[in-house]
Amino acid sequence: MKFKMAEKSLFAVLLRSSWWISLSLALAFALVSKALLPPEYFFFGAMGGLPFLAIAMIRLWRQLRAPSTAHVEATLAQINAMPWREFSAALAQAMVRDGFEVRRLDLASADFELIKGGRTLLLSGKRWKAARLGLEVLQSLEVARNTRDASSCICVTIGEVTDKARSFAAEHQIRVIQGTELAQLLRPVLTGKPAA
């Protein structure tokens, strides 16, 4: 059990790391196999590096698809200049594009109920322009999740997330969408282009 958890966590870390780290691990498997195994078993030993090679390819593909810093900054500036009505409409449209059924909520803590595959998520976005996203926003979102029996929550912000809020979000599995991820989510909606 502990090994499986460590394995999952290693792959999770590698999926957030640079592609060349995973490629290096795959090559290390091949080199160690070449050095330590008889020639007839080299292929089987080198196959141990295939998961790392796959992760390297995924990371490289994501890196090549990622928008440039200039595009991210321009999109975030456009988002920051929007009034709530326009921002919420773009957010709802992006969620529909991602396959969610979107229902507007009239709650102080959550703005949308998202339904997909039998799961219900709550999304909070009203404080997207706040310079700092604090703990109280996420705590009230968590209360709303428990009240409405939602499976998880999403909070959207372009501001800085405090350390306490980030810890609370991780502990309660609240996804915080900000920065590059927010720009990638809304850019196709704002530009009218299909998602990449």
Side-chain angles (χ1 to χ4, degrees):
M1 181 70 171
K2 285 183 180 178
F3 176 73
K4 283 186 179 180
M5 288 177 68
E7 186 178 85
K8 285 181 184 178
S9 122
L10 171 65
F11 289 135
V13 168
L14 289 173
L15 279 168
R16 292 188 303 269
S17 302
S18 185
W19 64 272
W20 61 266
I21 295 172
S22 296
L23 182 61
S24 299
L25 289 171
L27 292 174
F29 261 89
L31 291 173
V32 168
S33 297
K34 180 78 170 161
L36 300 178
L37 295 176
E40 59 270 15
Y41 294 112
F42 163 73
F43 177 74
F44 297 106
M47 282 180 52
L50 284 179
F52 299 105
L53 182 61
I55 290 172
M57 296 299 106
I58 290 168
R59 286 299 300 143
L60 181 60
W61 180 68
R62 286 182 182 171
Q63 183 179 337
L64 292 174
R65 287 187 58 221
S68 69
T69 304
H71 280 115
V72 170
E73 288 174 2
T75 303
L76 290 176
Q78 184 179 359
I79 292 168
N80 195 34
M82 292 175 150
W84 165 248
R85 184 178 297 199
E86 189 179 337
F87 176 73
S88 66
L91 200 54
Q93 188 179 350
M95 291 301 163
V96 168
R97 186 195 72 224
D98 285 353
F100 289 98
E101 177 187 337
V102 178
R103 295 181 186 159
R104 288 190 182 270
L105 297 175
D106 189 25
L107 301 174
S109 55
D111 305 302
F112 298 103
E113 184 176 63
L114 310 174
I115 302 166
K116 182 178 183 179
R119 292 182 61 219
T120 300
L121 293 81
L122 296 182
L123 186 144
S124 173
K126 270 197 190 102
R127 303 268 322 261
W128 92 96
K129 283 189 184 185
R132 289 177 64 110
L133 180 72
L135 191 56
E136 67 284 346
V137 174
L138 298 179
Q139 286 173 330
S140 64
L141 186 57
E142 179 64 16
V143 169
R145 170 171 57 175
N146 292 330
T147 303
R148 297 186 69 88
D149 199 28
S151 58
S152 60
C153 298
I154 300 170
C155 188
V156 176
T157 183
I158 59 174
E160 177 187 344
V161 180
T162 65
D163 291 339
K164 286 184 180 180
R166 197 171 296 284
S167 296
F168 185 87
E171 182 181 330
H172 293 88
Q173 298 177 342
I174 298 173
R175 181 178 170 200
V176 177
I177 298 178
Q178 66 181 139
T180 303
E181 188 179 6
L182 179 58
Q184 286 179 306
L185 175 68
L186 293 185
R187 185 164 178 75
V189 172
L190 299 178
T191 61
K193 294 178 183 174

